[in-house]
Amino acid sequence: GGLERLEFALGGMATLEPSGAGGLSLCLLDEDAVLGDALARLANAGARIRSCRQERSEIEDAFFVVTARGSSE
């Protein structure tokens, strides 16, 4: 299927998960992975990328708020 083909194109640098409205969420796995490279691989495999935005979990947001406060004191 389409999802398997796109994940194969990513070569293990990231995974895809279904998200709302028929879209997919891209999760970079390798800390050295470059978002542009992952997007290029997806496009070359036939994916139509309509938008891209970074999302963090609530715990990540809380961590960044706490660390930002700690560094400003």
Side-chain angles (χ1 to χ4, degrees), residues 15 28 45 49 56 65:
T15 60
L28 295 176
I49 302 166
R56 296 188 302 228
V65 168

Side-chain angles (χ1 to χ4, degrees), residues 8-51:
F8 180 78
L10 289 169
M13 73 181 332
T15 60
L16 294 169
E17 297 177 7
S19 64
L24 295 170
S25 293
L26 174 70
C27 178
L28 295 176
L29 298 176
D30 184 347
E31 66 182 42
D32 295 328
V34 176
L35 178 59
D37 294 344
L39 296 176
R41 288 180 180 209
L42 291 172
N44 288 335
R48 293 179 24 202
I49 302 166
R50 295 190 179 138
S51 67

